[in-house]
Amino acid sequence: MKEILTLIKEGNKPSLLAAIVNTVIAILKAIAFLLTGNIAMFAEMLHSLGDAANQFFVYIGSALSKKAPTPKFPNGFGRVVNLVCLGAVIVVAIMSYEAIIGGWHHILNPVESGGFVLNLSVLGIAIALEFFVLYKAGKEVLHEAGIQNGGLAAPITVSFRHLNRAKPATKLVFMEDLVATMGGILAFVAVLLAHFLGLLVAEGIASILIGLMMFYVVGKVFLENAKGAIGETDEEMLNHIAHLVAQDPDVKDIQRVEVLKEGEFLHVEVVAEVDSSHTVAYVDDVRDRLLDLILQQKGVREVLISFDEDDGVSTWKKANSSETIQQFSSKLPE
């Protein structure tokens, strides 16, 4: 029990914050929908409920993924977060479907809803809270990408360019709250159009658009976490680590480098060539030196290094080039 509580504390903080905020928002939207019957509010309620459940499970998954390897599971639990994200998107997919169906029925049979002020107030609060979570998630994206300074607006603007370098849980929170903020704005505009211009179908259209945006998140998150669950190569880190190994004065050549994503962490395997005249003790010192160096790299959790004698045939060409990435990627198991 103590181990579980310790792991829970190490879970992804942005996802926990997002889960709490979205729970509060979902309750507010549910009350507003029950009092007014507004279909756009219904879609937003489903959206927030889906996000809250999703992000809570992602938080638990990110915590469990940090569990240390055991004799029964020697490869660790890094990919648990990917599996949890895959399960979580099912919840969002169901909510997306309900939002689209509800919006379609409203377009076919538009009904005027009341509570104009209440709807706008709840949506305004929701948009502000969603934007707050989005901003915090954007800051976490920049932190995980190693971006120190970017200005006040960087968490919203610069973070898009570095989203692929964020942890799966952080990326999921950022994408979901981006869509949630946009969905809130859509619903807000729809309520205004229905009230002032009598365009009752605007609320149904907003509901469908919100559902479609949720489906986009479902597809994006599913594909990315499916790759993570299977085992995806981090090509940028592969090139970087191969370059570090090749710079070691005792490494004559590199036969193989593998850098696989294990959830939030990286699993590295290196096969290098050394001079056959070196003693076992000397080569062991080289291994320890390389091991310490690679473990210092961001996200690396496990490293396996093995050696072979120099065969005089150059396998490693040059670092930091697309040729290098293609060369080593072609050696990974299919």
Side-chain angles (χ1 to χ4, degrees), residues 266-331:
L266 297 175
H267 170 85
V268 180
E269 292 188 22
V270 176
V271 179
E273 294 181 3
V274 294
D275 196 313
S276 59
S277 63
H278 291 320
T279 64
V280 173
Y282 187 90
V283 172
D284 189 57
D285 290 338
V286 175
R287 188 192 72 86
D288 290 341
R289 183 171 68 238
L290 291 175
L291 187 66
D292 291 339
L293 177 63
I294 296 174
L295 283 173
Q296 291 174 13
Q297 306 310 305
K298 186 176 178 63
V300 177
R301 184 176 188 177
E302 185 179 27
V303 182
L304 296 176
I305 301 176
S306 57
F307 295 99
D308 198 357
E309 63 179 348
D310 184 15
D311 58 8
V313 179
S314 178
T315 302
W316 167 259
K317 294 182 180 179
K318 61 178 181 177
N320 299 320
S321 71
S322 58
E323 292 180 1
T324 300
I325 294 177
Q326 292 173 1
Q327 172 189 353
F328 284 103
S329 294
S330 64
K331 297 188 176 184

Side-chain angles (χ1 to χ4, degrees), residues 143-218:
H143 172 71
E144 292 172 4
I147 309 299
Q148 301 299 326
N149 297 309
L152 187 63
I156 304 298
T157 55
V158 180
S159 54
F160 282 98
R161 297 202 302 268
H162 304 282
L163 198 56
N164 62 325
R165 296 166 63 185
K167 296 177 181 177
T170 305
K171 188 185 302 185
L172 177 63
V173 171
F174 183 87
M175 292 179 62
E176 285 192 340
D177 279 282
L178 174 63
V179 170
T181 304
M182 294 170 61
I185 294 172
L186 269 176
F188 193 94
V189 172
V191 171
L192 289 175
L193 291 175
H195 182 78
F196 289 110
L197 300 180
L199 297 175
L200 301 182
V201 295
E203 295 175 356
I205 294 173
S207 181
I208 291 176
L209 290 176
I210 291 168
L212 291 174
M213 287 193 297
M214 292 165 69
F215 264 127
Y216 170 77
V217 172
V218 167

Side-chain angles (χ1 to χ4, degrees), residues 99-112:
I100 292 174
I101 293 299
W104 179 248
H105 286 320
H106 185 78
I107 291 175
L108 296 178
N109 302 286
V111 178
E112 185 176 0

